Amino acid sequence: EDQVTQSPEALRLQEGESSSLNCSYTVSGLRGLFWYRQDPGKGPEFLFTLYSAGEEKEKERLKATLTKKESFLHITAPKPEDSATYLCAVQAWGYSTLTFGKGTMLLVSP
Amino acid sequence: DAGVIQSPRHEVTEMGQEVTLRCKPISGHNSLFWYRQTMMRGLELLIYFNNNVPIDDSGMPEDRFSAKMPNASFSTLKIQPSEPRDSAVYFCASSLFAGEKLGGTEAFFGQGTRLTVV
């Protein structure tokens, strides 16, 4: 059974204080690892897809990386508008469905 | 594109009543998913359709839950009878599945329906 564990559950940062979120996974054969952002009262919003170990993707202050066992979402010099819950999900070969972790709730204070 | 559209956004109902949630996927997408989100369990897959056919309904909690996709642009999730433990946010998502040999395909989510059963 595919499993995704995210840590920490919650993270509080000061504006400009860089940090990383962790996503550990076990999957029969990784087809893709996905990062989503979810704001309160809204649906998850797609950020990145990573396909193979060593791959990196960037978007503004966010950079996602992937190894064979985990993925990191690095947040550089965060701003208050980066406050949200960040969700990680995996998709296995032979399946179209996504298995999600419970997310990391990020709060960035001015 | 307007994205995935769900209705209603909020639903409050009494225990024992029937509840129907609706979803319009993104035009051209061939896969549709219903997820349920709670604080305790996070996002859980309920059912997955491909080309309007249910492929995996192993996440449907019990017989009180049913889902249909009569055509490519509409799906419903029905709960009958509803119970307080069904209270959650229900999300519909869609994606374009391009084939088994291609890389992962991201799913796009609607805004969700917040269901409260009292």
Side-chain angles (χ1 to χ4, degrees):
Chain A
E1 182 179 330
D2 302 338
Q3 287 191 325
V4 179
T5 303
Q6 293 187 245
S7 62
E9 291 185 10
L11 180 63
R12 190 165 193 155
L13 299 173
Q14 289 294 120
E15 184 172 2
E17 180 186 2
S18 301
S19 187
S20 296
L21 313 182
N22 177 264
C23 170
S24 297
Y25 65 90
T26 55
V27 63
S28 51
L30 184 69
R31 183 176 192 165
L33 184 139
F34 303 82
W35 282 98
Y36 286 81
R37 169 190 171 129
Q38 185 175 23
D39 292 300
K42 295 192 175 182
E45 176 187 346
F46 171 71
L47 291 173
F48 304 109
T49 308
L50 301 167
Y51 297 103
S52 57
E55 187 175 3
E56 299 183 353
K57 287 194 176 175
E58 289 188 62
K59 181 178 181 179
E60 296 181 358
R61 295 176 293 282
L62 301 177
K63 183 169 80 172
T65 62
L66 181 65
T67 73
K68 289 187 177 181
K69 294 184 178 181
E70 56 191 350
S71 176
F72 293 93
L73 185 65
H74 307 278
I75 304 176
T76 302
K79 298 182 177 181
E81 52 261 43
D82 294 323
S83 298
T85 295
Y86 291 86
L87 298 165
C88 171
V90 296
Q91 185 182 62
W93 283 106
Y95 297 90
S96 293
T97 55
L98 301 180
T99 300
F100 281 86
K102 292 187 177 181
T104 293
M105 186 183 300
L106 174 67
L107 178 63
V108 182
S109 302
Chain B
D1 197 317
V4 176
I5 299 173
Q6 292 186 245
S7 63
R9 288 296 312 277
H10 303 275
E11 177 80 42
V12 180
T13 190
E14 292 185 348
M15 182 174 62
Q17 296 298 305
E18 177 180 298
V19 176
T20 300
L21 312 182
R22 297 172 175 79
C23 175
K24 176 180 169 56
I26 293 172
S27 177
H29 282 188
N30 56 9
S31 295
L32 184 138
F33 313 86
W34 282 99
Y35 282 87
R36 178 170 68 177
Q37 187 175 42
T38 61
M39 289 293 293
M40 288 294 295
R41 302 173 69 89
L43 268 168
E44 300 175 285
L45 178 70
L46 299 177
I47 188 168
Y48 153 54
F49 291 86
N50 184 251
N51 292 324
N52 311 338
V53 176
I55 303 299
D56 180 0
D57 66 355
S58 59
M60 296 286 261
E62 44 197 278
D63 292 345
R64 298 185 297 106
F65 286 69
S66 62
K68 294 182 179 180
M69 192 165 186
N71 56 63
S73 59
F74 184 66
S75 177
T76 60
L77 177 68
K78 185 178 293 187
I79 308 173
Q80 165 65 18
S82 57
E83 297 183 3
R85 58 193 169 120
D86 301 332
S87 297
V89 182
Y90 291 80
F91 287 104
C92 175
S94 70
S95 71
L96 178 59
F97 179 63
E100 277 300 327
K101 295 186 179 180
L102 297 180
T105 50
E106 62 272 16
F108 295 89
F109 284 75
Q111 295 296 307
T113 295
R114 180 173 294 277
L115 173 65
T116 304
V117 183
V118 297

